[in-house]
Amino acid sequence: IDGQRVLYQEGALAGISRPEQLIEAYTQGAGMASPSLMFCGTLGAIGGVRPGSRFEMALEDPVLGRRLNHGYDVEALPVIS
């Protein structure tokens, strides 16, 4: 953000709500019709949701000592209204 690397999200998989919990909360117990699609939760953004020019992430497995890295550049599109 503004040319600086800033921690955006951090936490364990256990910190993300389970899909069943999200569906229950969203449908108030009615369940989802088939076919349906729900994009599930994520960890909260540290400092709030904001744009950046690049996003880099890592998933770590502390038990097996493995790490998966990924990154991509972001091009903000103009606001058209």
Side-chain angles (χ1 to χ4, degrees):
I1 297 175
D2 296 326
Q4 301 292 318
R5 292 185 71 173
V6 177
L7 185 62
Y8 192 72
Q9 293 175 299
E10 183 175 41
L13 180 60
I16 298 175
S17 296
R18 297 182 50 81
E20 297 84 2
Q21 293 170 312
L22 294 171
I23 292 168
E24 172 74 20
Y26 176 73
T27 66
Q28 298 177 347
M32 292 181 68
S34 183
S36 293
L37 171 74
M38 175 182 272
F39 291 99
C40 290
T42 185
L43 297 166
I46 299 169
V49 176
R50 59 205 183 277
S53 59
R54 179 158 178 82
F55 182 79
E56 296 176 354
M57 60 159 284
L59 297 174
E60 297 184 37
D61 181 340
V63 174
L64 298 178
R66 298 186 298 191
R67 179 181 171 119
L68 177 65
N69 296 303
H70 179 65
Y72 57 87
D73 294 322
V74 177
E75 181 181 343
L77 299 175
V79 176
I80 299 172
S81 57

